Amino acid sequence: MTNPTNEQLMKLHYILPLSWKKVRNLMKITDDFDEILHISPKFLAVQLNIKEEKASQLIKHYKELIPMSMIAYYDQHNIIAIPYTNPLYPQRLKELYDAPAVLYAKGDIQLLNRPKMIAVIGSRAATSYSEHVLNILLPPLIREQYVIVSGLAKGADRLAHEATIRYGGKTIGVLGHGLFHSYPPQNKELNAYMAKEHLLVTEYPPYVSVQKWHFPARNRIISGLSEALVVTEAALKSGTLITTELALEQGKDVFAVPGNIFSEQSRGTNKLIKEGAIPVWDGFQILEEIQLFSKLR
């Protein structure tokens, strides 16, 4: 089986951001995606597990994109589209059950395949405790050339990106929307800075706006890119804990910062420790644990 051209894959993904698994289902029918113009919507809907009406729209919009160069379009907007078949596509993400068929990036693309990456996440309602913790955790990791991955949300994510930049490290923001948008509004300047000096990554085509259900999906990419996950603060009911579950499913090491038992934002991290997460309060400790685990594997 040969692969569709990058242009064909980017056209398909622009219209419908499918996972690579669903793209592979389409490749069982044809490796020339231009042929979908001659496939019945009903048959296409079955192959992609989508509604027939959606399949009809896909065919219609794909035909409209035929004369267009997606590579030139993304170049105009300083966006790098990375199909699954591109050598730049991170090997770690290929290990995901539902790996994105295309990634969209802005910034220092070389960061995407740096060997050392660690995710740092926490509550959107993070307190000053997270800020103080990051000042202790991050410098040793940065000195060891770890890229810090987070979700560019408000709270702990923002603090993690800002602390990394402050200490001279490199950071990747994984977005739950397309690159034409910036969210949340208070991160607009940080978003713009990281798009130039660091890296923004998303599985959504540039025009896709912010949707609530995108964020749980983007969490698998945060953990997928990283070899381990650090949680600074988290409430008991928190999206942070969803990311932690994904990391555990992916076989990643999870570190949690213990906190005040009377703090709502530490109840989640303390529970993680009770359930087996490794308690950490020092960046050197994280490095030692990672080295120990790498020897055991």
Side-chain angles (χ1 to χ4, degrees):
M1 182 189 296
T2 58
N3 290 320
T5 67
N6 284 343
E7 275 287 341
Q8 289 175 334
L9 183 51
M10 285 190 281
K11 284 181 172 71
L12 178 75
H13 200 265
Y14 184 84
I15 302 162
L16 191 63
L18 299 168
S19 67
W20 180 245
K21 185 182 176 186
K22 285 194 174 182
V23 170
R24 293 276 295 180
N25 286 341
L26 183 56
M27 288 166 61
K28 291 174 185 175
I29 309 168
T30 176
D31 52 26
D32 179 358
F33 284 178
D34 288 359
E35 289 185 6
I36 67 171
L37 301 180
H38 311 295
I39 296 173
S40 76
K42 186 174 183 178
F43 184 67
L44 187 61
V46 170
Q47 295 303 313
L48 296 180
N49 193 26
I50 59 177
K51 292 182 179 179
E52 189 173 338
E53 183 184 352
K54 205 167 190 177
S56 296
Q57 290 296 311
L58 171 60
I59 294 167
K60 175 179 177 289
H61 293 310
Y62 190 95
K63 185 175 182 179
E64 292 168 355
L65 288 180
I66 287 284
M68 181 176 172
S69 166
M70 299 306 295
I71 293 173
Y73 172 73
Y74 290 130
D75 281 348
Q76 286 175 357
H77 297 283
N78 296 314
I79 291 171
I80 303 162
I82 309 166
Y84 187 96
T85 52
N86 189 305
L88 284 173
Y89 194 99
Q91 185 59 40
R92 279 196 184 116
L93 286 190
K94 289 188 175 183
E95 295 168 8
L96 295 181
Y97 169 77
D98 52 353
V102 180
L103 288 175
Y104 303 90
K106 252 192 172 185
D108 184 358
I109 196 65
Q110 298 307 317
L111 294 180
L112 204 52
N113 279 292
R114 287 270 288 270
K116 295 179 177 180
M117 289 193 205
I118 194 161
V120 178
I121 62 170
S123 172
R124 282 182 165 86
T127 69
S128 59
Y129 183 63
S130 277
E131 191 167 4
H132 296 318
V133 160
L134 290 168
N135 289 335
I136 297 171
L137 295 185
L138 291 187
L141 298 175
I142 290 166
R143 280 196 292 273
E144 288 297 316
Q145 303 299 310
Y146 271 90
V147 175
I148 305 303
V149 182
S150 199
L152 202 56
K154 63 183 180 179
D157 288 13
R158 175 180 178 141
L159 292 172
H161 293 304
E162 289 180 334
T164 302
I165 294 165
R166 189 165 63 249
Y167 288 112
K170 287 294 185 179
T171 187
I172 296 175
V174 183
L175 309 179
H177 51 80
L179 288 164
F180 288 165
H181 302 273
S182 178
Y183 181 84
Q186 56 265 49
N187 285 0
K188 189 173 182 179
E189 285 185 19
L190 178 61
N191 186 300
Y193 180 77
M194 287 178 60
K196 290 181 180 178
E197 303 297 331
H198 296 268
L199 185 66
L200 300 181
V201 175
T202 179
E203 65 181 309
Y204 299 103
Y207 66 87
V208 174
S209 60
V210 177
Q211 302 291 342
K212 189 175 180 180
W213 62 87
H214 288 172
F215 293 97
R218 76 89 151 83
N219 291 346
R220 80 192 192 288
I221 297 178
I222 293 174
S223 57
L225 283 172
S226 310
E227 61 183 277
L229 185 78
V230 180
V231 187
T232 62
E233 287 183 286
L236 278 177
K237 292 184 179 179
S238 166
T240 300
L241 300 186
I242 296 172
T243 314
T244 305
E245 289 169 9
L246 289 167
L248 289 170
E249 287 173 9
Q250 294 164 5
K252 307 295 174 71
D253 302 322
V254 174
F255 301 96
V257 179
N260 188 326
I261 62 172
F262 301 107
S263 169
E264 177 62 31
Q265 298 308 321
S266 285
R267 290 179 71 188
T269 47
N270 290 341
K271 183 173 183 283
L272 285 173
I273 292 167
K274 178 178 179 289
E275 293 174 348
I278 303 160
V280 288
W281 46 86
D282 182 282
F284 292 107
Q285 186 188 357
I286 296 172
L287 292 172
E288 288 170 5
E289 295 284 354
I290 289 175
Q291 287 169 3
L292 176 63
F293 286 131
S294 65
K295 287 177 183 177
L296 293 174
R297 285 182 179 128

